[in-house]
Amino acid sequence: MINLSSLTLSCEYQPFVDPHTLAIDGYEALARFYLPDGDAVAPNIVFEQLHESTELLAAVEYQAKAFQLAHAPSQLRIFINVDPHAVDGPHTAKLIKLLSQYQQVTVEIIENTCINDAQLANQLFSQFKQANIKVALDDIGAPHSMLCVDLMMNVDYLKFDRHWLTHITHPEGVQLLIALINFAKQTNKQCILEGIETEAHLAFARDIGVDLVQGFLFKSWFIRPTRTQALCLA
């Protein structure tokens, strides 16, 4: 078990890149955590522990989002990930109040574990949209994910998981992805393909017509703030 009160919080901004022009169109903000000696702790380990307490999870999630928005690159859209379990019930209004202060923010929702999570994601989607906050559906096509038709129809962005890149040589997988991209274009949504690590991945993204790409091919463009912040668990 990690002593959560000893951690400091920071973040990393990974760019969304136009696959044709290589222009940066925005960033995804990702939480980062550090031990007192400066060593990094994998975010999934921290959040797995936080899921044992809804109140702690909500407190850290809010601090992470506030930090990410306060230090974000200016004048470009920022995507932030929201764990539905961290903003359920009374915590939703507090987060919406924070997000509503930023015109360029988009919330990424994941609904990939069970039917209850999909229903919770749908509820959150409605609340974000009522507050005029744009929403992206994340991890589409991940091996463990579900496919919620209602969210697919109503979100502003579709984010396709890196797993699609394993289907580059499988015609059926490619055709399914192209069909989803065409659906997005016909319904005025933008598509983002994650996991771009090679020039071959980038060429594939161009060929299938996604709007934006994201991945470690652009690692030199990642941004990390120089500041950190102590976690407050009170």
Side-chain angles (χ1 to χ4, degrees), residues 77-120:
R77 72 179 93 185
I78 294 294
F79 282 45
I80 64 168
N81 295 282
V82 169
D83 184 329
H85 297 279
V87 292
D88 190 17
H91 305 292
T92 309
K94 183 179 180 181
L95 182 65
I96 286 178
K97 183 177 179 180
L98 171 67
L99 299 179
S100 296
Q101 301 173 41
Y102 298 85
Q103 293 184 349
Q104 296 282 65
V105 70
T106 294
V107 172
E108 294 188 19
I109 292 180
I110 302 172
E111 44 79 46
N112 58 9
T113 55
C114 66
I115 187 61
N116 290 334
D117 281 1
Q119 292 170 344
L120 178 56

Side-chain angles (χ1 to χ4, degrees), residues 56 59 63 231-234:
L56 280 183
Q63 289 173 66
L231 280 186
C232 178
L233 304 179

Side-chain angles (χ1 to χ4, degrees), residues 190-207:
Q190 284 197 299
C191 295
I192 302 169
L193 179 59
E194 302 174 309
I196 303 299
E197 297 182 356
T198 67
E199 291 293 338
H201 289 165
L202 183 59
F204 173 72
R206 291 192 193 105
D207 289 343

Side-chain angles (χ1 to χ4, degrees), residues 2 4 6-12 30-36 38-47 50 60-61 63-64 68 224 228-229 231:
I2 299 170
L4 296 175
S6 72
L7 297 180
T8 54
L9 166 73
S10 188
C11 64
E12 180 174 273
L30 299 167
R32 295 292 182 259
F33 300 94
Y34 298 93
L35 295 167
D39 286 346
V41 181
N44 64 298
I45 294 176
V46 176
F47 282 109
L50 287 169
V60 172
E61 184 83 330
Q63 289 173 66
Q68 292 164 12
R224 286 195 178 183
T228 61
Q229 172 182 305
L231 280 186

Side-chain angles (χ1 to χ4, degrees), residues 214-232:
Q214 179 183 9
F216 280 93
L217 182 62
F218 312 104
K219 188 173 182 178
S220 63
W221 298 349
F222 291 8
I223 299 173
R224 286 195 178 183
T226 55
R227 285 187 55 196
T228 61
Q229 172 182 305
L231 280 186
C232 178

Side-chain angles (χ1 to χ4, degrees), residues 37-170:
D37 62 5
D39 286 346
V41 181
N44 64 298
I45 294 176
V46 176
F47 282 109
E48 283 173 9
Q49 187 168 328
L50 287 169
H51 270 85
E52 297 176 5
S53 167
T54 301
E55 293 302 316
L56 280 183
L57 176 63
V60 172
E61 184 83 330
Y62 183 87
Q63 289 173 66
K65 303 320 165 198
F67 186 96
Q68 292 164 12
L69 291 169
H71 296 86
S74 61
Q75 307 304 317
L76 290 173
R77 72 179 93 185
I78 294 294
F79 282 45
I80 64 168
N81 295 282
V82 169
D83 184 329
H85 297 279
V87 292
D88 190 17
H91 305 292
T92 309
K94 183 179 180 181
L95 182 65
I96 286 178
K97 183 177 179 180
L98 171 67
L99 299 179
S100 296
Q101 301 173 41
Y102 298 85
Q103 293 184 349
Q104 296 282 65
V105 70
T106 294
V107 172
E108 294 188 19
I109 292 180
I110 302 172
E111 44 79 46
N112 58 9
T113 55
C114 66
I115 187 61
N116 290 334
D117 281 1
Q119 292 170 344
L120 178 56
N122 265 311
Q123 293 169 11
L124 284 174
F125 165 81
S126 298
Q127 291 172 288
F128 288 132
K129 294 305 289 184
Q130 288 173 7
N132 294 315
I133 297 170
K134 291 184 176 180
V135 181
L137 182 58
D138 197 14
D139 285 353
I140 297 171
H144 56 282
S145 69
M146 301 172 61
L147 187 63
C148 179
V149 175
D150 287 344
L151 279 175
M152 285 277 291
M153 289 192 299
N154 294 310
V155 295
D156 303 289
Y157 300 88
L158 302 181
K159 289 196 71 183
F160 295 102
D161 185 78
R162 66 181 64 241
H163 184 69
W164 289 99
L165 293 168
T166 66
H167 295 296
I168 287 178
T169 59
H170 298 89

